């Protein structure tokens, strides 16, 4: 099993929040379509890889409001899925807030938690009418190759190691889709986005992980990181190409799911955008390093067996490197948004 996000992920996930925020109309539409012919006495919603729910909660609220227009009294369940080590307390706190989907009027809404890997069944067969999943399916089911030397990101791997990670990513993607197909009710919809490489073939993490590799190698030389651990660690994230995302659908190995809508687009980096407005390189470095730590910190900590001081130092150096190279540092996520339906 791979690691969940760091505690405090919400405070450092503006990037993910802005991406998900742009999908409100798509989710609302999919929710309406998904319940059109429902005969079940309930409506099931699932959020796969929810973290603390900050990005998806407004979208779930939209979806429930839409479902209520045609099914005002149907009981609805919303199942939040993430790794067991997720910060579930923060998610539950959010559900008590005034903006929570629980505040939508009419019939009952029951929140559920399924703290298992989404590479295993998350809910019983045929119970999900609307699934959502944002910025999650690029995380693989297992750690990266352990014999690839000092590469820390998939695009630093070469030859057979790179191919092994590609194969793992494609096997995971097929597994994810087939499991979701099984969980979707007939007519159910899944709205999801995941990272893909940019049109010119450059992964979003290229520059970032080159810096992190350099920092880790320096710290290994200084005896602050275990070189043997570093040689065995690769972040378990793979940015697929658009073709790799489409592969299971074209090969008929997506559990019968059909693509209804698809859009690829770059998501502007909010930290870099602010830097371009205010010129504050130090704040850019600090906030960007906080963003990276929130998603990659737990994996690095466990993979490299970092002391708290060593982890602090990695991200202090990253913040410094980004602020020193503020004008030349590039990090921009390209996402593919998919709406898929179970026939
Ligand atoms: C970058 S975060 C995105 C969180 C949230 N969906 C958002 O848009 O802000 C990726 C999430 O996927 C979760 N995740 C990664 N692999 C997972 C797995 N195998 N099963 C369940 N959740 C997983 C992580 O724990 C994390 O919460």
């Amino acid at each position: 099993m791979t690691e969940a996000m760091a505690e405090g992920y919400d405070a450092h996930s503006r990037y993910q929040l802005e991406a998900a925020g742009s999908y409100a109309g798509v989710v609302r539409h999919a929710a309406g379509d998904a319940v059109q012919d429902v005969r079940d006495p309930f409506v099931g919603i699932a959020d796969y890889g929810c973290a603390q729910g900050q990005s998806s909660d407004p979208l779930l609220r939209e979806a429930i409001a839409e479902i209520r227009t045609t099914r005002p009294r149907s009981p609805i369940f919303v199942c939040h899925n993430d790794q067991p080590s997720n910060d579930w307390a923060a998610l539950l706190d959010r559900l008590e807030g005034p903006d929570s989907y629980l505040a939508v009027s009419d019939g009952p809404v029951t929140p559920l938690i399924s703290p298992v890997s989404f590479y295993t069944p998350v809910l019983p067969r045929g119970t999900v009418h609307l699934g959502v999943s944002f910025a999650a399916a690029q995380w693989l089911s297992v750690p990266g190759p352990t014999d690839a030397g000092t590469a820390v990101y998939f695009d630093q791997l070469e030859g057979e190691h790179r191919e092994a990670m590609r194969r793992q990513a494609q096997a995971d993607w097929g597994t994810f889709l087939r499991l979701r197909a099984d969980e979707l009710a007939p007519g159910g919809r899944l709205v999801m986005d995941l990272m893909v490489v940019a049109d010119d073939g450059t992964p979003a993490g290229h520059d970032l992980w080159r810096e992190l590799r350099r920092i880790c190698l320096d710290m290994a030389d200084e005896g602050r990181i275990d070189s043997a651990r570093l040689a065995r660690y690769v972040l378990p994230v793979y940015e697929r190409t658009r073709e790799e995302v489409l592969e299971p659908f074209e090969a008929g190995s997506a559990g019968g799911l059909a693509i209804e809508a698809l859009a690829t687009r770059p998501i502007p980096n909010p930290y870099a955008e602010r830097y371009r407005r205010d010129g504050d390189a130090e704040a850019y470095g600090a906030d960007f390093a906080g963003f990276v730590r929130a998603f990659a910190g737990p994996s690095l900590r466990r993979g490299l067996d970092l002391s708290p001081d060593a982890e602090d130092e990695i991200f202090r150096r990253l913040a410094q490197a980004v602020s020193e190279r503020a004008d030349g540092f590039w990090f921009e996520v390209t996402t593919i948004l998919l709406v898929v339906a179970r026939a």
Side-chain angles (χ1 to χ4, degrees):
M1 182 156 290
T2 52
E3 279 69 37
M5 302 295 93
E7 268 183 42
Y9 168 81
D10 275 0
H12 298 284
S13 55
R14 208 174 125 209
Y15 210 141
Q16 296 88 329
L17 184 65
E18 289 188 9
S22 64
Y23 304 141
V26 177
V27 170
R28 201 173 181 118
H29 196 265
D33 288 349
V35 296
Q36 230 171 24
D37 302 317
V38 170
R39 294 206 189 93
D40 298 316
F42 65 92
V43 175
I45 300 178
D47 181 6
Y48 299 99
C50 60
Q52 285 101 68
Q54 176 172 248
S55 307
S56 47
D57 199 54
L59 301 176
L60 297 175
R61 202 185 152 108
E62 287 279 334
I64 291 169
E66 177 64 31
I67 292 164
R68 285 281 175 249
T69 62
T70 54
R71 301 174 61 101
R73 268 169 287 284
S74 286
I76 296 177
F77 74 75
V78 179
C79 178
H80 302 272
N81 157 257
D82 207 291
Q83 308 270 22
S85 56
N86 186 45
D87 184 357
W88 293 108
L91 181 125
L92 297 177
D93 275 352
R94 173 175 304 285
L95 291 186
E96 290 185 346
D99 298 331
S100 159
Y101 62 75
L102 289 177
V104 178
S105 57
D106 291 327
V109 181
T110 308
L112 305 173
I113 283 175
S114 181
V116 297
S117 168
F118 52 48
Y119 294 115
T120 65
V122 166
L123 276 160
R125 170 171 291 181
T127 55
V128 178
H129 301 92
L130 177 70
V132 298
S133 179
F134 301 113
Q138 63 264 13
W139 286 86
L140 305 189
S141 62
V142 290
T146 53
D147 57 350
T150 59
V152 289
Y153 199 53
F154 82 95
D155 83 322
Q156 297 162 2
L157 297 169
E158 287 170 3
E160 180 46 33
H161 292 116
R162 173 93 179 233
E163 178 53 22
M165 199 147 170
R166 195 194 78 79
R167 275 199 306 271
Q168 182 65 50
Q170 291 310 89
D172 282 352
W173 180 220
T175 301
F176 181 93
L177 291 170
R178 286 189 296 277
L179 286 165
R180 301 303 77 86
D182 196 52
E183 287 163 4
L184 280 179
R189 303 293 199 281
L190 175 65
V191 181
M192 62 181 298
D193 81 345
L194 62 162
M195 281 168 91
V196 286
V197 294
D199 284 348
D200 72 355
T202 313
H206 177 75
D207 222 5
L208 163 64
W209 288 90
R210 200 170 49 184
E211 282 298 347
L212 279 170
R213 181 190 208 181
R214 183 189 57 73
I215 291 168
C216 288
L217 283 169
D218 285 352
M219 287 177 62
D221 280 350
E222 295 159 23
R224 301 182 72 172
I225 285 181
D226 179 343
S227 304
R229 296 293 286 244
L230 182 57
R232 291 201 298 273
Y233 177 79
V234 179
L235 185 83
V237 162
Y238 183 86
E239 297 182 47
R240 297 178 180 89
T241 61
R242 188 184 148 100
E243 291 69 36
E244 285 166 345
V245 171
L246 299 182
E247 203 173 83
F249 297 97
E250 285 164 0
S253 55
L257 294 176
I259 297 180
E260 284 202 321
L262 175 155
T264 309
R265 70 186 172 108
I267 309 287
N269 175 341
Y271 309 102
E273 297 244 300
R274 196 196 55 202
Y275 166 66
R276 279 193 278 276
R277 284 194 306 274
D278 69 11
D280 187 342
E282 204 175 315
Y284 175 28
D287 288 354
F288 186 79
F291 154 75
V292 176
R293 187 172 189 166
F295 72 80
S299 174
L300 282 166
R301 188 185 315 148
R302 170 123 155 221
L304 301 181
D305 192 23
L306 296 175
S307 67
D309 278 356
E311 185 183 338
D312 287 348
E313 183 60 15
I314 289 179
F315 290 101
R316 195 195 63 72
R317 291 187 192 193
L318 178 65
Q320 189 180 348
V322 172
S323 62
E324 281 171 7
R325 287 186 49 210
D327 290 316
F329 181 77
W330 181 84
F331 182 93
E332 187 174 74
V333 172
T334 300
T335 61
I336 190 161
L337 171 72
L338 292 169
V339 182
V340 300
R342 197 191 130 182

Coordinates of all heavy atoms in Angstrom, one line a residue, residues 2-5 9 13 16-17 20 47-56 81-83 86 116-119 133-141 193 295, ligand 1:
T2 N 0.5 2.3 -0.8 CA 1.2 3.5 -0.8 C 0.6 4.5 0.3 O -0.4 4.2 0.9 CB 1.1 4.2 -2.2 OG1 -0.2 4.3 -2.6 CG2 1.9 3.3 -3.2
E3 N 1.3 5.6 0.5 CA 0.9 6.5 1.6 C -0.2 7.5 1.2 O -0.3 7.8 0.0 CB 2.1 7.4 2.0 CG 3.1 6.6 2.9 CD 3.8 5.5 2.2 OE1 4.2 5.7 1.0 OE2 4.0 4.5 2.8
A4 N -0.9 7.9 2.2 CA -2.0 8.9 2.0 C -1.2 10.3 2.0 O 0.0 10.4 2.2 CB -3.0 8.9 3.2
M5 N -2.0 11.4 1.8 CA -1.5 12.7 1.8 C -1.1 13.1 3.3 O -1.5 12.5 4.2 CB -2.5 13.7 1.3 CG -3.0 13.4 -0.1 SD -1.7 13.5 -1.4 CE -1.1 11.9 -1.6
Y9 N -3.0 18.6 4.4 CA -3.1 18.6 2.9 C -4.0 19.8 2.4 O -3.6 20.5 1.4 CB -3.6 17.3 2.4 CG -3.9 17.2 0.9 CD1 -3.0 17.0 0.0 CD2 -5.3 17.3 0.5 CE1 -3.3 17.0 -1.4 CE2 -5.6 17.2 -0.8 CZ -4.6 17.1 -1.8 OH -5.0 17.0 -3.1
S13 N -3.3 22.6 -1.0 CA -3.8 21.9 -2.2 C -4.6 22.8 -3.0 O -5.6 22.4 -3.6 CB -4.6 20.6 -1.8 OG -5.6 20.9 -0.9
Q16 N -5.0 21.6 -6.6 CA -6.1 20.6 -6.9 C -7.5 21.2 -6.7 O -8.4 20.8 -7.4 CB -5.9 19.4 -5.8 CG -4.6 18.6 -6.0 CD -3.5 19.2 -5.1 OE1 -3.4 20.4 -4.9 NE2 -2.6 18.4 -4.7
L17 N -7.6 22.1 -5.7 CA -8.9 22.8 -5.5 C -9.4 23.5 -6.7 O -10.5 23.5 -7.1 CB -8.7 23.7 -4.3 CG -10.0 24.4 -3.8 CD1 -11.0 23.4 -3.2 CD2 -9.6 25.4 -2.7
A20 N -10.4 21.0 -9.6 CA -11.7 20.4 -9.3 C -12.8 21.4 -9.4 O -13.9 21.1 -9.9 CB -11.7 19.7 -7.9
D47 N -16.6 9.0 -3.8 CA -15.4 9.9 -4.1 C -14.2 9.0 -3.9 O -13.8 8.7 -2.7 CB -15.5 11.1 -3.2 CG -14.3 12.1 -3.5 OD1 -13.6 11.9 -4.5 OD2 -14.2 13.1 -2.7
Y48 N -13.5 8.7 -4.9 CA -12.4 7.8 -4.9 C -11.1 8.6 -4.7 O -10.7 9.4 -5.6 CB -12.3 6.9 -6.1 CG -13.5 6.0 -6.3 CD1 -14.5 6.4 -7.2 CD2 -13.6 4.8 -5.6 CE1 -15.6 5.6 -7.4 CE2 -14.7 4.0 -5.8 CZ -15.7 4.4 -6.7 OH -16.8 3.6 -6.8
G49 N -10.3 8.4 -3.6 CA -9.1 9.2 -3.4 C -9.5 10.6 -2.9 O -9.1 11.6 -3.5
C50 N -10.3 10.7 -1.9 CA -11.0 11.9 -1.5 C -10.0 12.8 -0.7 O -10.3 14.0 -0.5 CB -12.2 11.6 -0.6 SG -11.8 10.7 0.9
A51 N -9.0 12.3 -0.1 CA -8.2 13.1 0.9 C -9.1 13.6 2.0 O -9.9 12.9 2.5 CB -7.3 14.2 0.2
Q52 N -9.0 14.9 2.3 CA -9.9 15.5 3.3 C -11.1 16.1 2.8 O -11.9 16.8 3.5 CB -9.1 16.4 4.2 CG -8.1 15.7 5.1 CD -6.7 15.8 4.6 OE1 -6.0 16.8 4.5 NE2 -6.1 14.6 4.2
G53 N -11.4 15.9 1.5 CA -12.7 16.3 0.9 C -12.8 17.7 0.5 O -13.8 18.1 0.0
Q54 N -11.7 18.5 0.6 CA -11.9 19.9 0.4 C -12.2 20.2 -1.1 O -13.1 21.0 -1.4 CB -10.5 20.7 0.7 CG -10.6 22.1 0.3 CD -9.4 22.9 0.8 OE1 -9.5 23.7 1.7 NE2 -8.2 22.6 0.3
S55 N -11.5 19.5 -2.0 CA -11.8 19.7 -3.5 C -13.1 19.2 -3.9 O -13.8 19.9 -4.7 CB -10.7 19.0 -4.3 OG -9.4 19.4 -3.9
S56 N -13.5 18.1 -3.4 CA -14.7 17.5 -3.9 C -16.0 17.9 -3.2 O -17.1 17.7 -3.8 CB -14.6 15.9 -3.9 OG -14.1 15.5 -2.7
N81 N -13.7 7.5 -0.1 CA -12.7 6.5 -0.1 C -11.3 7.1 -0.2 O -11.0 8.0 -0.9 CB -12.9 5.6 -1.4 CG -11.7 4.9 -1.8 OD1 -11.0 5.3 -2.8 ND2 -11.3 3.9 -1.0
D82 N -10.4 6.5 0.6 CA -9.0 6.9 0.6 C -8.3 5.8 1.4 O -8.9 4.9 1.9 CB -8.7 8.3 1.1 CG -7.5 8.9 0.5 OD1 -6.4 8.4 0.8 OD2 -7.6 9.9 -0.3
Q83 N -7.0 6.0 1.5 CA -6.1 5.0 2.2 C -6.5 5.0 3.7 O -6.9 6.1 4.2 CB -4.6 5.4 2.1 CG -4.2 5.7 0.7 CD -3.6 4.4 0.0 OE1 -3.9 3.3 0.4 NE2 -2.8 4.6 -1.0
N86 N -5.4 8.0 5.7 CA -5.9 9.4 5.4 C -6.3 10.1 6.7 O -6.6 9.5 7.7 CB -7.1 9.2 4.5 CG -7.6 10.5 4.0 OD1 -6.9 11.4 3.6 ND2 -8.9 10.7 4.0
V116 N -10.1 1.9 2.1 CA -9.3 0.8 1.5 C -8.7 1.3 0.2 O -9.1 2.4 -0.3 CB -10.2 -0.4 1.1 CG1 -10.8 -1.1 2.4 CG2 -11.3 0.0 0.2
S117 N -7.8 0.6 -0.3 CA -7.2 1.0 -1.6 C -8.2 1.0 -2.7 O -9.0 0.0 -2.8 CB -6.0 0.1 -2.0 OG -5.6 0.4 -3.3
F118 N -8.2 2.0 -3.6 CA -9.1 1.9 -4.7 C -8.7 0.9 -5.8 O -9.3 0.7 -6.8 CB -9.5 3.3 -5.3 CG -8.4 4.2 -5.7 CD1 -7.3 3.7 -6.4 CD2 -8.4 5.5 -5.3 CE1 -6.3 4.6 -6.8 CE2 -7.4 6.4 -5.7 CZ -6.3 5.9 -6.4
Y119 N -7.6 0.2 -5.5 CA -7.2 -1.0 -6.4 C -7.8 -2.3 -5.8 O -7.4 -3.4 -6.2 CB -5.7 -1.0 -6.5 CG -5.2 0.2 -7.3 CD1 -4.3 1.1 -6.6 CD2 -5.5 0.4 -8.6 CE1 -3.9 2.2 -7.3 CE2 -5.1 1.5 -9.3 CZ -4.2 2.4 -8.6 OH -3.8 3.5 -9.3
S133 N -13.5 11.2 -9.0 CA -12.2 10.9 -8.5 C -11.3 12.0 -9.1 O -11.2 12.1 -10.3 CB -11.7 9.5 -9.0 OG -10.4 9.3 -8.5
F134 N -10.6 12.7 -8.2 CA -9.8 13.8 -8.8 C -8.4 13.7 -8.3 O -8.1 13.5 -7.1 CB -10.4 15.2 -8.3 CG -11.8 15.3 -8.8 CD1 -12.9 15.4 -7.9 CD2 -12.1 15.4 -10.2 CE1 -14.2 15.5 -8.4 CE2 -13.4 15.5 -10.6 CZ -14.5 15.5 -9.7
A135 N -7.5 13.9 -9.3 CA -6.0 13.9 -9.0 C -5.5 12.7 -8.2 O -4.6 12.8 -7.4 CB -5.7 15.2 -8.3
A136 N -6.1 11.6 -8.4 CA -5.8 10.4 -7.6 C -5.2 9.2 -8.4 O -4.3 8.5 -7.9 CB -7.0 10.0 -6.8
A137 N -5.8 9.0 -9.6 CA -5.5 7.7 -10.3 C -4.1 7.7 -10.9 O -3.7 6.7 -11.5 CB -6.5 7.4 -11.3
Q138 N -3.3 8.8 -10.7 CA -1.9 8.7 -11.2 C -1.0 8.0 -10.1 O 0.1 7.7 -10.3 CB -1.3 10.1 -11.5 CG -1.3 11.1 -10.4 CD -2.5 12.0 -10.4 OE1 -3.5 11.7 -11.1 NE2 -2.4 13.1 -9.6
W139 N -1.6 7.8 -8.9 CA -0.9 7.1 -7.8 C -1.0 5.6 -8.1 O -2.1 5.1 -8.2 CB -1.4 7.5 -6.5 CG -1.0 8.9 -6.0 CD1 -1.7 10.0 -6.4 CD2 0.1 9.2 -5.3 NE1 -1.0 11.1 -5.8 CE2 0.1 10.7 -5.2 CE3 1.1 8.5 -4.6 CZ2 1.1 11.4 -4.5 CZ3 2.1 9.2 -4.0 CH2 2.1 10.6 -3.9
L140 N 0.1 4.9 -8.1 CA 0.1 3.5 -8.4 C -0.1 2.6 -7.1 O -0.1 3.1 -6.0 CB 1.4 3.1 -9.1 CG 1.8 3.9 -10.3 CD1 3.0 3.3 -11.0 CD2 0.6 4.0 -11.3
S141 N -0.4 1.4 -7.4 CA -0.8 0.5 -6.3 C 0.4 0.0 -5.5 O 0.3 -0.4 -4.3 CB -1.5 -0.8 -6.8 OG -0.6 -1.5 -7.7
D193 N -10.6 13.1 -13.0 CA -9.4 13.7 -13.8 C -8.1 13.1 -13.2 O -8.1 12.6 -12.1 CB -9.4 15.2 -13.7 CG -8.8 15.8 -12.4 OD1 -8.6 15.1 -11.5 OD2 -8.5 17.0 -12.4
F295 N 1.7 16.5 -0.8 CA 1.3 15.2 -1.5 C 2.5 14.2 -1.5 O 2.3 13.0 -1.5 CB 0.8 15.5 -2.9 CG 1.8 16.0 -3.9 CD1 2.6 15.1 -4.5 CD2 1.9 17.3 -4.3 CE1 3.6 15.5 -5.5 CE2 2.8 17.7 -5.2 CZ 3.6 16.8 -5.8
Ligands
LIG1 C1 -3.4 14.4 -4.8 S1 -4.5 13.7 -3.7 C2 -6.1 14.3 -4.4 C3 -7.1 14.4 -3.3 C4 -8.4 15.0 -3.7 N1 -9.1 14.1 -4.6 C5 -8.2 16.4 -4.4 O1 -8.5 16.5 -5.6 O2 -7.7 17.3 -3.7 C6 -4.5 12.0 -4.2 C7 -5.4 11.2 -3.2 O3 -5.5 9.9 -3.7 C8 -5.3 9.0 -2.6 N2 -4.9 7.7 -3.1 C9 -3.7 7.4 -3.7 N3 -3.7 6.1 -3.9 C10 -4.8 5.5 -3.4 C11 -5.3 4.2 -3.4 N4 -4.7 3.2 -3.9 N5 -6.6 4.0 -2.8 C12 -7.3 5.1 -2.3 N6 -6.8 6.4 -2.3 C13 -5.6 6.6 -2.9 C14 -4.3 9.7 -1.7 O4 -4.2 9.2 -0.4 C15 -4.7 11.1 -1.8 O5 -5.7 11.4 -0.8

